[in-house]
Amino acid sequence: MGKQVREQKNQSGPEEKKTIRRRIADYLMITLAAGIYAAAVSMFLDPNSLAPGGVTGIAIILNRITGLETGTWMFAVNIPILLVGTWKFGLKFILSTLYCTVMSSYFTNLLAPLGAVTADPLLAALAGGALMAVGLGLIFKAGATSGGTDIIVKLLRLKFPHLKTGALFLLTDTIIVTASAFVFQDIDTALYAGLVVLVNSLLLDVVLYGHDGAKMLFIISDRHEKIAGRFLEELNIGATYMSGNGAYSGKDKKVILCVVKKYLFPKAEEIVRQEDPDAFMIITSATEIYGEGYKSIFSQKL
């Protein structure tokens, strides 16, 4: 019995070390990403009164109203959202997001005294949007999220699954950018903030996955039910089982076929890695997707 226990410990040791190293690397990447994101806010957007949607935009608006530091507002606004997210999705899902929120808020306040790099609102919008995209891209690659509206949209999708994720993000960003026009009493500033949203959205796709529309996955795993279940529960994406047969083993296999939007792919990849490190996964690009959750072939095929 003692020999078996020792053997099990020896076998699990390298895998545990690998997991720990991976986790440390992820948090180092999140720290770097939080610093880049904070630089975009403190050195380009906030000094030029550009509120680019999301919790960051809300924090910039509240800073002008109350005088409290923008980074502090970023953390404060995220607290109730993170609490609800923990209740709905569990502590494991929210832990890396909480760390990301703390670090980005801290770096935002730390860099704020440096002031604006440029006073030109167009240059600030372009540079700030680009830096935000780089920061968010690294955060997603590390398997985390930036919190805020990401969690709000996920919660709304649970309540109203028929609503499109992209439409919800566009709606929240539009409301916040519009509110900034009233707070700052300047329509030009709001339009530049809208430009930040556009630049961030376009470059985030490039940072993560180039110009591909989405990722199509073929996953062969003995834990196909667990993987597909987590895709449905955590990512709100559907999956299709295809029947297969191993040429060497002769065993029947279930192949998971699914299409994942680009910003969700790092999370999907992490789920597969957690559930079955030995899974066989083929990843390819899908540039035209029609059906539920994507485009309608009747209304959007031009």
Side-chain angles (χ1 to χ4, degrees):
M1 181 69 178
K3 183 179 179 182
Q4 290 178 343
V5 171
R6 285 194 297 272
E7 288 177 349
Q8 289 175 354
K9 287 183 178 179
N10 290 336
Q11 291 173 357
S12 62
E15 185 63 34
E16 289 177 356
K17 289 180 180 178
K18 182 179 178 181
T19 302
I20 292 173
R21 285 198 298 268
R22 172 66 182 269
R23 190 61 60 186
I24 292 174
D26 286 344
Y27 276 87
L28 287 174
M29 183 178 289
I30 292 172
T31 304
L32 172 64
I36 295 173
Y37 187 91
V41 176
S42 294
M43 303 170 70
F44 292 94
L45 306 181
D46 193 9
N48 289 283
S49 299
L50 302 178
V55 166
T56 300
I58 296 173
I60 292 173
I61 292 173
L62 290 174
N63 165 261
R64 298 304 190 276
I65 296 174
T66 66
L68 190 64
E69 292 177 307
T70 299
T72 304
W73 272 120
M74 288 168 60
F75 180 72
V77 174
N78 264 304
I79 288 177
I81 300 173
L82 290 172
L83 289 175
V84 175
T86 303
W87 171 52
K88 283 290 186 180
F89 307 119
L91 182 61
K92 186 177 180 180
F93 169 81
I94 223 74
L95 194 59
S96 57
T97 298
L98 174 61
Y99 177 78
C100 179
T101 300
V102 171
M103 295 308 297
S104 59
S105 301
Y106 169 74
F107 285 134
T108 297
N109 285 345
L110 184 68
L111 297 175
L114 296 178
V117 172
T118 176
D120 186 316
L122 178 59
L123 293 177
L126 294 175
L131 282 176
M132 285 181 69
V134 173
L136 287 173
L138 292 175
I139 289 169
F140 291 149
K141 282 179 178 291
T145 73
S146 59
T149 50
D150 291 355
I151 297 174
I152 293 174
V153 168
K154 189 175 179 65
L155 290 168
L156 288 173
R157 283 277 295 159
L158 289 177
K159 184 71 174 177
F160 308 104
H162 60 283
L163 296 178
K164 303 291 182 63
T165 300
L168 290 172
F169 274 113
L170 178 62
L171 177 62
T172 56
D173 287 342
T174 300
I175 291 173
I176 295 167
V177 169
T178 303
S180 73
F182 290 97
V183 173
F184 301 133
Q185 297 293 304
D186 188 351
I187 189 65
D188 289 344
T189 297
L191 291 174
Y192 282 122
L195 180 60
V196 175
V197 175
L198 178 61
V199 170
N200 177 53
S201 177
L202 293 175
L203 288 185
L204 179 58
D205 286 346
V206 176
V207 170
L208 284 173
Y209 311 109
H211 298 285
D212 298 326
K215 295 294 180 181
M216 182 166 63
L217 311 181
F218 293 91
I219 305 165
I220 304 173
S221 170
D222 292 332
R223 295 179 59 82
H224 54 272
E225 291 184 357
K226 189 68 175 177
I227 293 171
R230 289 188 62 184
F231 280 3
L232 290 167
E233 180 182 349
E234 298 179 23
L235 306 182
N236 290 316
I237 60 174
T240 299
Y241 288 136
M242 301 173 62
S243 297
N245 186 271
Y248 177 77
S249 65
K251 294 181 179 179
D252 291 333
K253 295 282 187 179
K254 290 290 186 183
V255 181
I256 301 173
L257 167 64
C258 65
V259 177
V260 182
K261 291 183 178 179
K262 290 174 289 187
Y263 69 93
L264 288 176
F265 174 70
K267 299 177 188 177
E269 189 178 37
E270 180 69 11
I271 287 172
V272 175
R273 189 183 66 82
Q274 289 175 354
E275 293 298 333
D276 186 2
D278 297 321
F280 188 83
M281 182 164 61
I282 301 172
I283 305 165
T284 186
S285 299
T287 55
E288 291 281 347
I289 308 165
Y290 297 93
E292 184 177 355
Y294 294 91
K295 295 184 289 186
S296 168
I297 196 168
F298 300 107
S299 63
Q300 296 180 345
K301 183 69 174 177
L302 300 177

